[in-house]
Amino acid sequence: MQEPTLLLLTALADAPRHGYALIQEIAAISDGRVKMRTGTLYGALDRLLGQGLIEVAAEEVVDGRARRTYALTDAGRGALATEAERLRAVATEAERRLSVAVVSPRVRGAFA
Amino acid sequence: MQEPTLLLLTALADAPRHGYALIQEIAAISDGRVKMRTGTLYGALDRLLGQGLIEVAAEEVVDGRARRTYALTDAGRGALATEAERLRAVATEAERRLSVAVVSPRVRGAFA
DNA sequence: CGGGATGTGCCGGTCGGCGATATATGTAGT
DNA sequence: ACTACATATATCGCCGACCGGCACATCCCG
């Protein structure tokens, strides 16, 4: 699972949302750094529907505009929890290794 | 940056290693779950060299076999640290949202 | 002498992300 | 009335990363 997909699931984790709201939510989560395009969004949505990680929670017409609301399934919640835990583990390991890195001779000299 | 790439940088974070050793190190990090293929490895290595995140630390011949050892550059260490922090943030947000999720009516009934 | 571990490298397929584009309606400004 | 922007959904083709498979070479063990 790649990051845009993970962000999508994260944006659905606390409450069901429709496509356009997801784009905004992801921008908010990432402090404006990630601007998901509709190409990425609807492709990922289709894929996640096929994988059973999300489902269509509602289809309604608001102000003349169709709106389809998606929600995480139990499987989606599980997948997100697993993925989050795995990523945290990798991040922790990366940081641990950086901190115990073999100090280069040049830098080691600073402690001599 | 994708996960195989992140794993590669992580495997190089504590000490320089050569290609084959990286495959084994990544398997160890992931508890045997990730078996990186050579196609992925050398492709990523080339890319990371081009990006200046890693460098060739040594080229030697051991037991008649050529061995090329790679090491993280300062830029690579920085990129890995940044990436690890970002991933941790996403993982934390995902877990937070899962925990504060709107409880569905069906489940909410269990608390009534 | 065959098989497995060590070691590097290429090639083609596949899949996900991305930019571009299209369509349609509501709202606000001029 | 016209324009522009936000809301909202959807498709298409390109590209880059990943991956499986293959090739090549040496060393060690049975």
Short mmCIF file of all heavy atoms in Angstrom, two decimals, chain B residues 18-20 24 38-39 42 65-68, chain C residues 4-12 16-17:
data_model
loop_
_atom_site.label_atom_id
_atom_site.label_comp_id
_atom_site.label_asym_id
_atom_site.label_seq_id
_atom_site.Cartn_x
_atom_site.Cartn_y
_atom_site.Cartn_z
N HIS B 18 26.97 -3.95 1.17
CA HIS B 18 26.92 -4.21 -0.26
C HIS B 18 25.57 -4.83 -0.61
O HIS B 18 24.82 -5.23 0.28
CB HIS B 18 28.08 -5.11 -0.70
CG HIS B 18 28.08 -6.45 -0.09
ND1 HIS B 18 28.54 -6.68 1.19
CD2 HIS B 18 27.65 -7.64 -0.54
CE1 HIS B 18 28.41 -7.97 1.47
NE2 HIS B 18 27.86 -8.58 0.45
N GLY B 19 25.26 -4.89 -1.90
CA GLY B 19 23.96 -5.30 -2.40
C GLY B 19 23.36 -6.53 -1.76
O GLY B 19 22.25 -6.49 -1.20
N TYR B 20 24.10 -7.60 -1.83
CA TYR B 20 23.57 -8.87 -1.31
C TYR B 20 23.28 -8.79 0.19
O TYR B 20 22.29 -9.32 0.67
CB TYR B 20 24.56 -9.99 -1.60
CG TYR B 20 24.01 -11.36 -1.42
CD1 TYR B 20 23.24 -11.96 -2.41
CD2 TYR B 20 24.25 -12.08 -0.25
CE1 TYR B 20 22.72 -13.24 -2.26
CE2 TYR B 20 23.73 -13.34 -0.08
CZ TYR B 20 22.98 -13.93 -1.08
OH TYR B 20 22.47 -15.19 -0.91
N GLN B 24 19.63 -9.28 2.65
CA GLN B 24 19.52 -10.05 3.90
C GLN B 24 19.15 -9.15 5.07
O GLN B 24 18.36 -9.54 5.93
CB GLN B 24 20.85 -10.75 4.19
CG GLN B 24 21.20 -11.76 3.12
CD GLN B 24 22.60 -12.29 3.29
OE1 GLN B 24 22.84 -13.48 3.36
NE2 GLN B 24 23.57 -11.38 3.40
N THR B 38 16.51 -8.68 -6.70
CA THR B 38 17.67 -7.95 -7.20
C THR B 38 17.24 -6.88 -8.21
O THR B 38 17.88 -5.84 -8.31
CB THR B 38 18.69 -8.90 -7.86
OG1 THR B 38 18.09 -9.52 -8.98
CG2 THR B 38 19.18 -9.92 -6.87
N GLY B 39 16.16 -7.15 -8.92
CA GLY B 39 15.66 -6.16 -9.87
C GLY B 39 15.31 -4.86 -9.17
O GLY B 39 15.65 -3.77 -9.63
N TYR B 42 18.91 -3.24 -7.42
CA TYR B 42 19.89 -2.50 -8.20
C TYR B 42 19.26 -1.31 -8.91
O TYR B 42 19.92 -0.29 -9.13
CB TYR B 42 20.62 -3.46 -9.14
CG TYR B 42 21.50 -4.41 -8.38
CD1 TYR B 42 21.13 -5.73 -8.17
CD2 TYR B 42 22.69 -3.96 -7.81
CE1 TYR B 42 21.93 -6.59 -7.42
CE2 TYR B 42 23.49 -4.80 -7.06
CZ TYR B 42 23.11 -6.13 -6.87
OH TYR B 42 23.89 -6.96 -6.12
N ARG B 65 35.01 -12.67 -6.11
CA ARG B 65 33.74 -12.03 -6.49
C ARG B 65 33.81 -10.54 -6.24
O ARG B 65 34.27 -10.11 -5.18
CB ARG B 65 32.58 -12.62 -5.68
CG ARG B 65 32.08 -13.95 -6.19
CD ARG B 65 30.88 -14.40 -5.37
NE ARG B 65 31.11 -15.72 -4.83
CZ ARG B 65 31.37 -15.96 -3.55
NH1 ARG B 65 31.43 -14.98 -2.69
NH2 ARG B 65 31.57 -17.18 -3.14
N ALA B 66 33.35 -9.78 -7.22
CA ALA B 66 33.34 -8.34 -7.05
C ALA B 66 32.32 -7.97 -5.98
O ALA B 66 31.29 -8.62 -5.84
CB ALA B 66 32.97 -7.66 -8.37
N ARG B 67 32.64 -6.96 -5.22
CA ARG B 67 31.71 -6.51 -4.18
C ARG B 67 31.76 -4.99 -4.12
O ARG B 67 32.81 -4.38 -4.00
CB ARG B 67 32.11 -7.11 -2.84
CG ARG B 67 31.23 -6.64 -1.70
CD ARG B 67 31.70 -7.17 -0.38
NE ARG B 67 31.51 -8.61 -0.26
CZ ARG B 67 31.88 -9.30 0.83
NH1 ARG B 67 32.44 -8.69 1.83
NH2 ARG B 67 31.67 -10.59 0.89
N ARG B 68 30.57 -4.41 -4.24
CA ARG B 68 30.48 -2.95 -4.20
C ARG B 68 29.73 -2.55 -2.94
O ARG B 68 28.57 -2.96 -2.74
CB ARG B 68 29.75 -2.45 -5.45
CG ARG B 68 29.76 -0.94 -5.60
CD ARG B 68 29.29 -0.53 -6.97
NE ARG B 68 30.17 -1.07 -8.01
CZ ARG B 68 29.81 -1.28 -9.26
NH1 ARG B 68 28.60 -1.00 -9.64
NH2 ARG B 68 30.67 -1.80 -10.13
P DG C 4 19.14 -26.94 -4.17
OP1 DG C 4 18.03 -27.63 -3.48
OP2 DG C 4 18.90 -26.23 -5.45
"O5'" DG C 4 19.79 -25.91 -3.15
"C5'" DG C 4 20.49 -26.38 -2.00
"C4'" DG C 4 21.49 -25.35 -1.54
"O4'" DG C 4 22.62 -25.32 -2.44
"C3'" DG C 4 20.93 -23.92 -1.49
"O3'" DG C 4 21.28 -23.33 -0.25
"C2'" DG C 4 21.63 -23.21 -2.64
"C1'" DG C 4 22.95 -23.96 -2.71
N9 DG C 4 23.61 -23.90 -4.01
C8 DG C 4 23.06 -24.14 -5.25
N7 DG C 4 23.91 -24.02 -6.23
C5 DG C 4 25.10 -23.66 -5.60
C6 DG C 4 26.39 -23.39 -6.16
O6 DG C 4 26.74 -23.39 -7.34
N1 DG C 4 27.32 -23.06 -5.16
C2 DG C 4 27.05 -23.02 -3.82
N2 DG C 4 28.05 -22.69 -3.00
N3 DG C 4 25.84 -23.28 -3.29
C4 DG C 4 24.93 -23.60 -4.24
P DA C 5 20.56 -21.94 0.18
OP1 DA C 5 19.89 -22.19 1.47
OP2 DA C 5 19.80 -21.40 -0.97
"O5'" DA C 5 21.80 -20.96 0.44
"C5'" DA C 5 22.87 -21.39 1.24
"C4'" DA C 5 24.10 -20.53 0.94
"O4'" DA C 5 24.62 -20.87 -0.36
"C3'" DA C 5 23.79 -19.02 0.92
"O3'" DA C 5 24.75 -18.33 1.72
"C2'" DA C 5 23.92 -18.65 -0.55
"C1'" DA C 5 24.92 -19.68 -1.06
N9 DA C 5 24.80 -19.93 -2.48
C8 DA C 5 23.67 -20.32 -3.17
N7 DA C 5 23.86 -20.47 -4.46
C5 DA C 5 25.19 -20.15 -4.65
C6 DA C 5 26.01 -20.11 -5.79
N6 DA C 5 25.57 -20.41 -7.03
N1 DA C 5 27.30 -19.75 -5.62
C2 DA C 5 27.74 -19.45 -4.38
N3 DA C 5 27.07 -19.45 -3.22
C4 DA C 5 25.79 -19.82 -3.43
P DT C 6 24.68 -16.74 1.87
OP1 DT C 6 25.29 -16.42 3.18
OP2 DT C 6 23.32 -16.28 1.54
"O5'" DT C 6 25.66 -16.21 0.72
"C5'" DT C 6 27.05 -16.49 0.84
"C4'" DT C 6 27.79 -15.86 -0.32
"O4'" DT C 6 27.40 -16.47 -1.58
"C3'" DT C 6 27.53 -14.35 -0.51
"O3'" DT C 6 28.78 -13.69 -0.63
"C2'" DT C 6 26.73 -14.27 -1.81
"C1'" DT C 6 27.28 -15.47 -2.56
N1 DT C 6 26.40 -15.98 -3.65
C2 DT C 6 26.93 -16.08 -4.91
O2 DT C 6 28.07 -15.77 -5.18
N3 DT C 6 26.06 -16.56 -5.86
C4 DT C 6 24.73 -16.95 -5.66
O4 DT C 6 24.06 -17.37 -6.60
C5 DT C 6 24.25 -16.82 -4.31
C7 DT C 6 22.85 -17.20 -3.99
C6 DT C 6 25.10 -16.34 -3.37
P DG C 7 28.91 -12.15 -0.27
OP1 DG C 7 30.35 -11.88 -0.13
OP2 DG C 7 27.98 -11.82 0.83
"O5'" DG C 7 28.35 -11.46 -1.60
"C5'" DG C 7 29.25 -11.27 -2.69
"C4'" DG C 7 28.57 -10.99 -4.00
"O4'" DG C 7 27.88 -12.14 -4.53
"C3'" DG C 7 27.47 -9.92 -4.06
"O3'" DG C 7 28.08 -8.63 -4.22
"C2'" DG C 7 26.70 -10.31 -5.33
"C1'" DG C 7 27.28 -11.66 -5.71
N9 DG C 7 26.25 -12.59 -6.18
C8 DG C 7 25.24 -13.18 -5.47
N7 DG C 7 24.44 -13.91 -6.21
C5 DG C 7 24.97 -13.79 -7.49
C6 DG C 7 24.53 -14.35 -8.73
O6 DG C 7 23.57 -15.08 -8.94
N1 DG C 7 25.36 -13.96 -9.78
C2 DG C 7 26.45 -13.14 -9.67
N2 DG C 7 27.12 -12.88 -10.80
N3 DG C 7 26.88 -12.62 -8.53
C4 DG C 7 26.09 -12.98 -7.48
P DT C 8 27.13 -7.33 -4.51
OP1 DT C 8 27.95 -6.16 -4.14
OP2 DT C 8 25.80 -7.53 -3.91
"O5'" DT C 8 26.98 -7.35 -6.10
"C5'" DT C 8 28.16 -7.34 -6.91
"C4'" DT C 8 27.80 -7.39 -8.37
"O4'" DT C 8 27.10 -8.63 -8.66
"C3'" DT C 8 26.86 -6.27 -8.83
"O3'" DT C 8 27.48 -5.52 -9.87
"C2'" DT C 8 25.60 -6.98 -9.31
"C1'" DT C 8 26.09 -8.39 -9.61
N1 DT C 8 25.00 -9.38 -9.44
C2 DT C 8 24.55 -10.07 -10.53
O2 DT C 8 25.01 -9.92 -11.65
N3 DT C 8 23.52 -10.95 -10.27
C4 DT C 8 22.93 -11.20 -9.05
O4 DT C 8 22.02 -12.01 -8.95
C5 DT C 8 23.46 -10.45 -7.94
C7 DT C 8 22.90 -10.65 -6.57
C6 DT C 8 24.46 -9.58 -8.18
P DG C 9 26.78 -4.16 -10.41
OP1 DG C 9 27.81 -3.35 -11.08
OP2 DG C 9 25.99 -3.59 -9.31
"O5'" DG C 9 25.76 -4.67 -11.52
"C5'" DG C 9 26.28 -5.27 -12.70
"C4'" DG C 9 25.15 -5.84 -13.52
"O4'" DG C 9 24.51 -6.90 -12.79
"C3'" DG C 9 24.01 -4.85 -13.80
"O3'" DG C 9 24.11 -4.41 -15.15
"C2'" DG C 9 22.74 -5.64 -13.59
"C1'" DG C 9 23.24 -7.05 -13.37
N9 DG C 9 22.36 -7.80 -12.47
C8 DG C 9 22.23 -7.68 -11.10
N7 DG C 9 21.35 -8.49 -10.59
C5 DG C 9 20.84 -9.19 -11.69
C6 DG C 9 19.86 -10.20 -11.77
O6 DG C 9 19.20 -10.69 -10.86
N1 DG C 9 19.67 -10.62 -13.09
C2 DG C 9 20.34 -10.15 -14.17
N2 DG C 9 20.02 -10.66 -15.35
N3 DG C 9 21.28 -9.21 -14.12
C4 DG C 9 21.47 -8.78 -12.85
P DC C 10 23.01 -3.32 -15.68
OP1 DC C 10 23.75 -2.43 -16.59
OP2 DC C 10 22.27 -2.76 -14.53
"O5'" DC C 10 22.00 -4.20 -16.55
"C5'" DC C 10 22.52 -5.12 -17.49
"C4'" DC C 10 21.39 -5.88 -18.16
"O4'" DC C 10 20.76 -6.77 -17.19
"C3'" DC C 10 20.27 -5.00 -18.70
"O3'" DC C 10 19.86 -5.53 -19.95
"C2'" DC C 10 19.17 -5.13 -17.65
"C1'" DC C 10 19.38 -6.54 -17.15
N1 DC C 10 18.93 -6.76 -15.74
C2 DC C 10 18.00 -7.77 -15.47
O2 DC C 10 17.57 -8.47 -16.40
N3 DC C 10 17.59 -7.98 -14.20
C4 DC C 10 18.08 -7.21 -13.21
N4 DC C 10 17.67 -7.46 -11.96
C5 DC C 10 19.02 -6.16 -13.46
C6 DC C 10 19.42 -5.97 -14.74
P DC C 11 19.01 -4.61 -20.99
OP1 DC C 11 19.74 -4.59 -22.27
OP2 DC C 11 18.67 -3.33 -20.32
"O5'" DC C 11 17.67 -5.42 -21.18
"C5'" DC C 11 17.64 -6.85 -21.05
"C4'" DC C 11 16.19 -7.30 -20.95
"O4'" DC C 11 15.87 -7.55 -19.56
"C3'" DC C 11 15.19 -6.26 -21.44
"O3'" DC C 11 14.15 -6.91 -22.15
"C2'" DC C 11 14.68 -5.63 -20.14
"C1'" DC C 11 14.72 -6.83 -19.20
N1 DC C 11 14.82 -6.46 -17.75
C2 DC C 11 14.08 -7.18 -16.81
O2 DC C 11 13.36 -8.11 -17.19
N3 DC C 11 14.18 -6.84 -15.50
C4 DC C 11 14.98 -5.83 -15.12
N4 DC C 11 15.05 -5.54 -13.83
C5 DC C 11 15.73 -5.08 -16.07
C6 DC C 11 15.62 -5.43 -17.37
P DG C 12 13.21 -6.08 -23.18
OP1 DG C 12 13.48 -6.50 -24.57
OP2 DG C 12 13.30 -4.64 -22.82
"O5'" DG C 12 11.77 -6.61 -22.76
"C5'" DG C 12 11.57 -7.98 -22.40
"C4'" DG C 12 10.36 -8.10 -21.51
"O4'" DG C 12 10.71 -7.75 -20.15
"C3'" DG C 12 9.18 -7.20 -21.90
"O3'" DG C 12 7.98 -7.93 -21.74
"C2'" DG C 12 9.30 -6.04 -20.92
"C1'" DG C 12 9.83 -6.75 -19.68
N9 DG C 12 10.56 -5.88 -18.76
C8 DG C 12 11.45 -4.88 -19.09
N7 DG C 12 11.96 -4.28 -18.05
C5 DG C 12 11.38 -4.92 -16.97
C6 DG C 12 11.55 -4.71 -15.59
O6 DG C 12 12.27 -3.89 -15.01
N1 DG C 12 10.77 -5.58 -14.82
C2 DG C 12 9.93 -6.52 -15.34
N2 DG C 12 9.25 -7.26 -14.46
N3 DG C 12 9.77 -6.75 -16.64
C4 DG C 12 10.52 -5.91 -17.39
P DG C 16 -2.77 -1.29 -8.21
OP1 DG C 16 -3.25 -2.09 -7.07
OP2 DG C 16 -3.66 -1.01 -9.36
"O5'" DG C 16 -2.19 0.08 -7.66
"C5'" DG C 16 -0.94 0.10 -6.96
"C4'" DG C 16 -0.33 1.47 -7.04
"O4'" DG C 16 0.18 1.72 -8.37
"C3'" DG C 16 -1.31 2.60 -6.74
"O3'" DG C 16 -0.67 3.57 -5.91
"C2'" DG C 16 -1.65 3.15 -8.13
"C1'" DG C 16 -0.35 2.91 -8.89
N9 DG C 16 -0.52 2.72 -10.33
C8 DG C 16 -1.46 1.94 -10.95
N7 DG C 16 -1.36 1.95 -12.26
C5 DG C 16 -0.28 2.79 -12.50
C6 DG C 16 0.31 3.18 -13.73
O6 DG C 16 -0.01 2.86 -14.88
N1 DG C 16 1.39 4.05 -13.53
C2 DG C 16 1.84 4.47 -12.31
N2 DG C 16 2.88 5.30 -12.30
N3 DG C 16 1.30 4.10 -11.15
C4 DG C 16 0.25 3.27 -11.33
P DG C 17 -1.48 4.82 -5.35
OP1 DG C 17 -1.10 5.02 -3.95
OP2 DG C 17 -2.91 4.69 -5.72
"O5'" DG C 17 -0.83 5.98 -6.22
"C5'" DG C 17 0.58 6.21 -6.08
"C4'" DG C 17 1.00 7.35 -6.97
"O4'" DG C 17 0.84 6.99 -8.36
"C3'" DG C 17 0.22 8.65 -6.77
"O3'" DG C 17 1.15 9.72 -6.80
"C2'" DG C 17 -0.75 8.67 -7.95
"C1'" DG C 17 0.06 7.96 -9.03
N9 DG C 17 -0.73 7.24 -10.03
C8 DG C 17 -1.81 6.42 -9.82
N7 DG C 17 -2.29 5.90 -10.91
C5 DG C 17 -1.48 6.41 -11.92
C6 DG C 17 -1.52 6.20 -13.33
O6 DG C 17 -2.30 5.50 -13.97
N1 DG C 17 -0.51 6.91 -13.98
C2 DG C 17 0.41 7.72 -13.35
N2 DG C 17 1.30 8.33 -14.13
N3 DG C 17 0.45 7.92 -12.04
C4 DG C 17 -0.52 7.24 -11.39
#
